[in-house]
């Protein structure tokens, strides 16, 4: 039996987790954000900038009356350095971490708004599957959850998402991964962040947006 819509992420989930991410990151605003985020080659600043960029991009994939089904909306993008993420959205460095968090908050708001107003039949392109609004909500939430985990490994702040939210994300875009008793470690395992008993850490992974 297919999952009911309430088992999938919503616009309100996007708003709430964005707010939680901004609140968590605000506690470490004065730390050095130029250092790598966890195991990534990106700095903490670049990692959060990447999250904001993804949220903006996902909003754009839903926003048009007839979204593209065969490619991304053709925003321009570039890399600040060879190993940096490719971005459309860049934050003015002069605005500091407060400005970075404002951009993150605004991008999350754009995705939430796009998810909320998208009609049920609307579909947008993603390389992991042409997706509906719930799929883009789930993808945006995953970007926030796992990259906040990466940043928290370095900047040392608490980050423990709600079990129900993690379950809804797993339901929608990781149907092959059982949530188990604790869906947050299951989501971290699904995205190659941790190992679990009897499950080595993944070196390759993807979600299923279709």
């Amino acid at each position: 039996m297919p999952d009911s819509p309430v088992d999938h992420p919503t616009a309100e989930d996007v708003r709430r987790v964005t707010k939680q991410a901004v609140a968590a990151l605000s506690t470490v605003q004065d730390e050095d954000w130029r250092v790598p985020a966890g195991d990534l080659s990106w700095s903490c600043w670049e990692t959060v900038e990447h999250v904001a960029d993804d949220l903006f991009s996902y909003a754009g994939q839903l926003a048009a009356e007839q979204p593209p089904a065969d490619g991304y909306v053709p925003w321009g993008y570039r890399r600040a350095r060879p190993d940096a993420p490719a971005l459309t959205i860049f934050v003015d460095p002069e605005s500091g971490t407060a400005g970075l968090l404002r951009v993150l908050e605004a991008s999350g708001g754009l995705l939430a708004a796009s998810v909320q107003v998208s009609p049920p039949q609307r579909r947008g392109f993603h390389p992991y599957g042409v997706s509906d609004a719930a799929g883009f909500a789930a993808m945006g939430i995953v970007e926030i959850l796992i990259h906040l985990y990466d940043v928290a490994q370095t900047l040392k702040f608490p980050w423990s998402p709600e079990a129900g939210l993690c379950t809804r994300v797993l339901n929608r875009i990781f149907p092959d991964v059982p949530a188990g008793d604790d869906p947050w470690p299951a989501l971290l395992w699904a995205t190659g962040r941790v190992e679990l008993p009897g499950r080595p850490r993944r070196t390759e992974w993807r979600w299923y947006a279709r």
Side-chain angles (χ1 to χ4, degrees):
M1 186 178 224
D3 294 312
S4 64
V6 296
D7 292 324
H8 290 167
T10 65
E12 184 54 36
D13 286 328
V14 176
R15 289 192 187 93
R16 187 169 63 254
V17 75
T18 300
K19 182 177 180 179
Q20 291 167 349
V22 170
L25 291 167
S26 294
T27 66
V28 290
Q29 275 186 247
D30 295 333
E31 300 296 325
D32 182 3
W33 287 46
R34 297 169 297 178
V35 295
D39 294 338
L40 303 182
S41 62
W42 302 339
S43 70
C44 292
W45 176 286
E46 290 170 337
T47 301
V48 175
E49 204 171 35
H50 161 78
V51 174
D53 186 80
D54 272 349
L55 298 175
F56 171 86
S57 174
Y58 294 162
Q61 292 305 106
L62 289 173
E65 196 67 29
Q66 294 184 322
D70 58 353
Y72 285 121
V73 175
W75 320 108
Y77 65 90
R78 62 179 174 83
R79 298 180 192 272
R81 59 184 182 84
D83 290 335
L87 301 174
T88 297
I89 298 299
F90 289 88
V91 180
D92 181 359
E94 295 298 320
S95 69
T97 51
L100 176 60
L101 297 185
R102 182 162 291 178
V103 172
L104 175 63
E105 184 178 32
S107 293
L110 288 171
L111 177 57
S114 288
V115 169
Q116 184 168 353
V117 303
S118 292
Q121 71 276 12
R122 183 167 293 175
R123 301 289 184 271
F125 172 83
H126 189 277
Y128 290 170
V130 175
S131 185
D132 62 358
F136 278 107
M139 289 185 273
I141 290 166
V142 166
E143 292 291 342
I144 294 171
L145 295 183
I146 64 171
H147 285 311
L148 263 285
Y149 171 84
D150 296 330
V151 175
Q153 300 313 293
T154 296
L155 298 186
K156 307 300 181 187
F157 58 88
W159 182 244
S160 182
E162 302 163 11
L165 177 63
C166 295
T167 296
R168 290 192 290 280
V169 168
L170 288 165
N171 284 345
R172 178 59 186 83
I173 59 174
F174 290 102
D176 59 327
V177 178
D181 294 331
D182 194 339
W184 175 225
L187 184 57
L188 289 174
W189 177 82
T191 54
R193 263 62 186 180
V194 299
E195 63 180 32
L196 293 177
R199 297 186 198 175
R201 184 172 176 176
R202 283 179 155 182
T203 56
E204 295 183 1
W205 60 273
R206 57 158 290 176
W207 59 60
Y208 296 87
R210 185 173 299 278

